[in-house]
Amino acid sequence: MKAVYINGIGSVSIQDQDIFDFNFELISDLSDVNYAKHPSYKEMIPAAMIRRMAQGVKMGIYASQNALNEAEIEIPDAIITGTGMGCLQDSEKFLRAIIDNEEEFLTPTSFIQSTHNTVGSQIALRLGCKGYNFTYVNGANSFENALNDAKLQIENDEANSILVGGIDEISDYTLKLLKKIDVIKNENSSIDFKNPTSIGVPFGEGANFLAISSEKKSNSYAEICDVFVQNKIEISDLKQTVSTFLEANKIDLSQIDVLVVGRNADSNFNEYYTEMETLFEDKTQIYYKHLSAEFDTASAFGVLLAATILKKQEIPNELLWNNKSMSQANYVLCYNQYRGKDHSLVLLRNC
């Protein structure tokens, strides 16, 4: 089977655009809701189209194009996206119009643009890409399933270059519902990720894309070794699950140099991360959701950071969870779960 390499990345997040240069000023104090810092889209999208596009579509187009540019890919063989909730803003517009107009005289625009595959299709239309185009909607495993699909296609010689990413956006009414059921923190004070004392997460949005290929380049970020997803895992089974995953890739726990965990400041469900950190207590550990906030495809942001660490062979102090230093990184393991479900492992190797 062919190897799979990350040759380009692109992101729109709540941070500045140069965050992956590891030379940045962080938004260190997250609030309960954190909106993306939108770049200028007019260089990529005609002004008339920008006005009609949802935030998720604009973020996706910008992040995906940056990933393609860096990988020097004009048109990929496939576009695969993951999203937890899709284009929520247009979904809410359409539902509101149904109520306001008493189910009469409805325009289809918001409905057409509200589907979960809107971002992937808009990227394809813009690029003129007529290849495989698929969107995964699997909660917090949405991005990982998209990544696994892309990896398998390249390994089995079904495609040479693929654009893969995760996109989620914030919408007002859904925010209110998530706050009512305590998914989002109901506080505006500074959020402590190291010692959280309240339930719920700081919520965010973003688009994070990888341009992957079977071709290794001089500026490649990392090799994608394997991707694993499982909906439910008992804490007592976590160590065996990780060991089995690594054994399948012919490595053991001692060979992991950096552990990337998706801690999100929720005082519930931390025991999974604690168990993982115990398994790799003598390794460098980093966290990232104090930079991205939490949303269904936030783990894509973590994978981008992991790939950048392998390429640059450095870790900014702002990312460190423990005090273990890293001399060289050959293997990075990313672990994420959300509210005790949707567990994922992504193994990257230095190339």
Side-chain angles (χ1 to χ4, degrees), residues 230 232-243 275:
Q230 187 165 318
K232 293 182 180 180
I233 301 176
E234 297 295 331
I235 294 177
S236 57
D237 296 331
L238 189 58
K239 180 177 181 179
Q240 184 58 52
T241 300
V242 174
S243 297
E275 181 71 11

Side-chain angles (χ1 to χ4, degrees), residues 113-149:
Q113 295 181 345
S114 71
T115 57
H116 289 75
N117 63 345
T118 298
V119 179
S121 61
Q122 287 291 333
I123 293 171
L125 286 169
R126 178 177 174 273
L127 295 174
C129 177
K130 299 178 182 179
Y132 178 89
N133 194 309
F134 200 86
T135 297
Y136 285 87
V137 186
N138 303 117
N141 283 157
S142 298
F143 168 73
E144 286 81 358
N145 280 317
L147 183 62
N148 198 36
D149 185 352

Side-chain angles (χ1 to χ4, degrees), residues 7-8 28 46 78 83 95 118 121 143 227 261 269 284 318 326 338:
N7 292 331
S28 56
T83 181
L95 293 173
T118 298
S121 61
F143 168 73
V227 180
V261 294
F269 314 109
T284 304
E318 291 87 351
M326 178 199 73
Y338 183 56

Side-chain angles (χ1 to χ4, degrees), residues 11 95 110 134 151 159 170 175 213 269 280 286 296 332 336:
S11 177
L95 293 173
S110 293
F134 200 86
K151 172 179 171 292
I170 290 174
L175 276 181
S213 173
F269 314 109
F280 299 97
I286 72 168
D296 283 316
V332 175
N336 186 63

Side-chain angles (χ1 to χ4, degrees), residues 4-8 64 67-68 71 73 75-81 129 132-134 146-155 157-165 209-214 224:
V4 183
Y5 300 100
I6 300 172
N7 292 331
S64 62
L68 291 173
I73 297 172
I75 300 178
D77 296 327
I79 298 172
I80 308 176
T81 56
C129 177
Y132 178 89
N133 194 309
F134 200 86
L147 183 62
N148 198 36
D149 185 352
K151 172 179 171 292
L152 290 171
Q153 289 201 41
I154 289 178
E155 286 179 340
D157 207 19
E158 296 178 12
N160 291 317
S161 62
I162 297 179
L163 179 67
V164 56
F209 275 79
L210 305 169
I212 65 175
S213 173
S214 58
I224 302 173

